[in-house]
Amino acid sequence: MIELPLTHRHTGHCETGVSSILLEQAGLSISEPMVLGLSSGMIFAHFPFLRINELPLTTYRMPPGFIYRWLAGRIGVRWEQQRFRNPAAGMQALDHALESGQIVGLQASVYWLPYFPKAMRFHFNAHNLIVYGREGGDYLISDPVFQSPQRCSAEDLQRARFVRGALAPKGLMYYPVATPSVIDHARVVGPSIRKSANIMLRAPLPWVGVRAVRGLARRLQRLPTQGEARYARLYLGQIVRMQEEIGTGGGGFRFMYAAFLKEAAERGGGAALDELAEAMTAVGDQWRQFALACSLQVRARTEPDVTEAAQKLRAVGEAEAQVWRGLLKAI
């Protein structure tokens, strides 16, 4: 049996949580909100031409892997990361790391992790978790979206790591091999905020940032409902699932980013960041209200009416733009 020392922690999102826990184990104390903020990992994007489960992709974060890699570039962490063509080689590498005393982060598919309730399993291949030991044929899992540690058989974990399809993990395994002793917050907070604000306000593509929020509101308003109610409900349901079930999504990420701004303010960022943290929290509330409006139409017995949802989303876009402009001014 191998069981490496690890303090399991329930976090808001898988990649930010895994990154925070792995860095903490390596000796660098960094909160999950600070991981999100310093990595500039929070965005909004809606790609009508990219499909997940045959419906347009909506995302509230940078692509999988960007958060821990962009954080590394910002604060000076060096990660060891490996992908594998051969599943057996990937499992052997995992065993070798554990035998060497190294806990590791993995990317895996939610669908093939048996400790997830059946109602929560779907084909999403970019979930992050930590393996900290093995007992017999089971691996010991610290999955930060669960309240307590889990177990997973070697067969199931291999299948989850080497599933095919969109965002295929290819057995991705990663862990920090070099970390700074401290973080110079005065140096890194401003550039991190500026990068996020520029993505949200000045992205050259119409499918990213505040322009994408407004564009999605227009698409909702044009969404056909008469005679195509099923498609409209699936479309709205996909948005809500990407926002509220995959990771922390729209509202949750805004709340976490607000916590980052508050922590940055406490570390010398000034009162303006503290005030804008409150504004970002209000934006998170608006995202939740938008999700509720969509959910009510998904469950409606009549033809869905997307007017209210579109109006709320337009208001979200204006509120986001105001907060990001304020952040650029503050830094």
Side-chain angles (χ1 to χ4, degrees):
M1 176 180 176
I2 301 172
E3 184 173 357
L4 303 176
L6 174 73
T7 301
H8 175 79
R9 193 164 76 241
H10 182 218
T11 65
H13 174 64
C14 65
E15 189 174 342
T16 50
V18 165
S19 299
S20 174
I21 294 169
L22 287 177
L23 291 173
E24 184 179 89
Q25 290 294 123
L28 178 65
S29 178
I30 180 170
S31 68
E32 184 186 10
M34 193 60 68
V35 167
L36 177 66
L38 294 184
S39 68
S40 302
M42 187 180 74
I43 64 166
F44 177 84
H46 180 76
F47 299 104
F49 49 86
L50 295 180
R51 301 278 165 157
I52 296 291
N53 298 326
E54 301 183 2
L55 290 162
L57 170 64
T58 304
T59 182
Y60 300 79
R61 50 153 293 171
M62 294 302 293
F66 272 61
I67 287 176
Y68 75 82
R69 291 200 299 269
W70 282 14
L71 175 69
R74 183 70 67 192
I75 66 175
V77 172
R78 184 160 60 88
W79 298 91
E80 174 69 26
Q81 56 180 10
Q82 298 173 271
R83 295 184 189 269
F84 306 89
R85 292 185 177 181
N86 184 285
M91 299 304 289
Q92 289 173 3
L94 173 58
D95 289 340
H96 178 71
L98 295 173
E99 291 165 1
S100 301
Q102 178 64 58
I103 63 172
V104 298
L106 299 180
Q107 182 181 330
S109 169
V110 168
Y111 188 83
W112 297 108
L113 294 172
Y115 57 82
F116 269 79
K118 288 186 177 180
M120 293 179 63
R121 292 189 211 168
F122 57 100
H123 292 287
F124 178 67
N125 297 337
H127 184 60
N128 289 264
L129 54 90
I130 294 172
V131 177
Y132 66 95
R134 182 171 184 174
E135 183 176 11
D138 290 343
Y139 286 92
L140 308 182
I141 306 292
S142 176
D143 191 319
V145 303
F146 284 83
Q147 292 284 357
S148 58
Q150 305 293 323
R151 287 174 174 261
C152 184
S153 72
E155 180 181 1
D156 286 325
L157 186 60
Q158 177 174 311
R159 180 177 290 180
R161 291 180 66 196
F162 291 93
V163 66
R164 297 182 180 182
L167 305 174
K170 299 178 182 177
L172 176 64
M173 182 174 83
Y174 60 96
Y175 51 88
V177 293
T179 61
S181 56
V182 294
I183 299 173
D184 185 355
H185 293 87
R187 180 181 64 85
V188 298
V189 166
S192 301
I193 292 174
R194 184 176 296 109
K195 185 172 186 176
S196 291
N198 284 334
I199 291 172
M200 290 298 295
L201 295 173
R202 300 166 181 168
L205 301 175
W207 308 291
V208 178
V210 171
R211 290 171 65 192
V213 178
R214 295 166 177 158
L216 179 57
R218 291 192 296 270
R219 288 187 179 88
L220 291 184
Q221 199 71 65
R222 298 194 301 265
L223 193 65
T225 55
Q226 298 297 323
E228 297 187 41
R230 182 176 182 275
Y231 178 78
R233 290 191 177 98
L234 289 173
Y235 194 105
L236 294 172
Q238 173 88 331
I239 293 171
V240 173
R241 183 169 69 171
M242 299 298 286
Q243 177 178 326
E244 300 298 333
E245 293 185 14
I246 296 179
T248 51
F253 267 135
R254 271 63 189 172
F255 299 143
M256 193 185 297
Y257 199 86
F260 156 69
L261 293 175
K262 280 189 172 295
E263 185 174 343
E266 293 168 359
R267 294 179 179 275
L273 290 186
D274 193 60
E275 293 174 3
L276 287 162
E278 298 295 333
M280 185 64 80
T281 299
V283 171
D285 290 334
Q286 287 182 266
W287 275 111
R288 289 282 165 87
Q289 291 166 11
F290 162 69
L292 177 59
C294 290
S295 299
L296 291 174
Q297 295 308 311
V298 171
R299 301 183 63 181
R301 295 181 181 273
T302 59
E303 298 284 348
D305 181 357
V306 298
T307 303
E308 182 182 2
Q311 290 173 345
K312 288 184 178 296
L313 191 55
R314 279 194 293 272
V316 169
E318 294 307 314
E320 286 255 348
Q322 184 174 350
V323 173
W324 289 113
R325 286 195 291 264
L327 284 168
L328 281 177
K329 183 178 179 180
I331 61 174

